[in-house]
Amino acid sequence: MATFQLELVSPEKLLLSRAVDMAVLPAAEGEMGVLPGHAPTIVTLGGGVIHVTEGGQVTERLFVAGGFAEVTPERCTVLAVEATPVAQLSRAQAEARVREAEEGYAAVTTTDTPERREAALNRLLSARAMVQAAEAA
């Protein structure tokens, strides 16, 4: 089966770099499947889980709290704001993050810039996605 190189980079380290069959990314517009030969594109990632498929099975699930992905026919490079293997997520920490994000979102006013309102909403949505990922672990 054809493969492509998947690299997942967070600010701390390179988390993954290997040939895979498929990756499903949490693009801001919705889940996006990447296969070998994919059309070149750059997408914004929302909070969610990257599913890595090798040998016809999902071998890895990684939570990302946002970032970007660059896709070419031979490679997919994910630059994540934060990335954690789903098995290492803590539901209690995820729920605490939701509470903080809800407080931050509630503090945003109509006089704040649209960028600040959008950033607060994205933090909240990412935190909620983290809770869902932690529950599924």
Side-chain angles (χ1 to χ4, degrees):
M1 178 175 243
T3 62
F4 65 95
Q5 187 69 21
L6 175 63
E7 293 186 342
L8 175 59
V9 182
S10 74
E12 294 84 31
K13 63 182 175 178
L14 175 66
L15 290 160
L16 182 81
S17 180
R18 67 175 179 260
V20 302
D21 299 338
M22 183 173 91
V24 178
L25 308 177
E29 298 82 22
E31 287 192 337
M32 173 184 164
V34 178
L35 293 165
H38 196 287
T41 188
I42 295 177
V43 296
T44 302
L45 300 177
V49 177
I50 295 176
H51 295 85
V52 179
T53 301
E54 297 170 282
Q57 295 185 326
V58 174
T59 57
E60 202 130 7
R61 296 179 332 126
L62 301 141
F63 174 80
V64 292
F68 296 91
E70 178 186 23
V71 180
T72 68
E74 305 82 26
R75 172 182 305 277
C76 176
T77 304
V78 176
L79 305 171
V81 172
E82 172 188 347
T84 308
V86 169
Q88 294 178 12
L89 292 177
S90 159
R91 183 172 175 177
Q93 288 177 330
E95 288 173 347
R97 187 178 286 198
V98 168
R99 285 189 296 277
E100 290 171 13
E102 286 173 340
E103 290 170 6
Y105 186 67
V108 174
T109 67
T110 56
T111 59
D112 283 321
T113 65
E115 294 83 11
R116 187 166 189 278
R117 290 192 302 266
E118 184 177 353
L121 178 59
N122 287 341
R123 279 191 297 278
L124 178 56
L125 294 174
S126 178
R128 288 179 178 166
M130 186 180 206
V131 169
Q132 288 178 330
E135 288 174 348

